[in-house]
Each structure stands twice: as structure tokens, then as C-alpha cells.
Amino acid sequence: MEARDILIRPLITERTTELMAEGKYVFVVDKRANKIQIADAVKEVFNVTVENVNTVNVKPKTKRMGRSVGKTTSYKKAIVKLKAGETIEFFSA
């Protein structure tokens, strides 16, 4: 897998923006990727030093719309901690 295939998109929520102040960034990643591949992909794409990677498999939730029942998509997210002083810019100021 290439680095662009591993990192699907950044996950931007209130919680993740609070983590950015601590130098932690959250990405939706390919389900088959392991921590080493994720760290290498972040290094390659953003040119930063990765200190630590934690992964979470998010399970699908059951949702209803009237009588029809469905599920949300499951995905894997990675919380990447960068070396102190390094940042990733998602938004242009």
C-alpha cells in the first residue's frame, strides 16, 4: 500500500481539535494498515516526526429511518502523536 492509500482523510471534530493542541492528530485510515505503516505514511505525506500511533476500530451503529433499518459504516481511526514542536496544517489561514 502507498502512503496516500493508507491515510483516507483527517477526522475533524471538537474532540480532535482539542487533541491538536497536544500535538495529536486523528486520521481515518485503511482497515488493513498497521501502526508502522500509518507512522511511515504520515512521515512521508506531511514531513514530520511521528512519536506514537494508537489505533481504534470504530464499529458500525444501527440507525433507523421509519421502518427501514441500516448501519453506519465501520472504519479504523489512528491517533498520531508528533514530536514536540511539530504541527500539521489542515486549514490554510
Side-chain angles (χ1 to χ4, degrees), residues 11 17-18 20 29 33 40-41 47 52 73 83-84:
L11 190 62
T17 52
E18 290 173 5
M20 287 181 200
V29 296
D40 291 341
N47 296 322
N52 189 14
T73 57
K83 187 177 175 183

Side-chain angles (χ1 to χ4, degrees), residues 24 43 63 93:
K24 295 180 182 179
K43 285 179 194 174
K63 297 288 183 178

Side-chain angles (χ1 to χ4, degrees), residues 28-75:
V28 175
V29 296
D30 189 283
K31 289 183 183 182
R32 300 166 294 178
N34 60 32
K35 292 181 180 186
I36 296 166
Q37 292 171 330
I38 293 167
D40 291 341
V42 172
K43 285 179 194 174
E44 183 180 326
V45 173
F46 297 106
N47 296 322
V48 292
T49 307
V50 176
E51 219 174 77
N52 189 14
V53 176
N54 292 322
T55 58
V56 179
N57 284 311
V58 180
K59 299 197 186 297
K61 294 181 180 179
T62 303
K63 297 288 183 178
R64 292 181 54 110
M65 184 79 120
R67 283 189 283 180
S68 58
V69 179
K71 290 192 176 230
T72 60
T73 57
S74 62
Y75 60 94

Side-chain angles (χ1 to χ4, degrees), residues 15-26:
R15 173 85 171 108
T16 60
T17 52
E18 290 173 5
L19 286 174
M20 287 181 200
E22 301 173 20
K24 295 180 182 179
Y25 295 86
V26 183

Side-chain angles (χ1 to χ4, degrees), residues 1-8 28-33 41 45:
M1 276 192 278
E2 291 185 26
R4 300 267 178 197
D5 296 333
I6 293 172
L7 299 176
I8 297 171
V28 175
V29 296
D30 189 283
K31 289 183 183 182
R32 300 166 294 178
V45 173

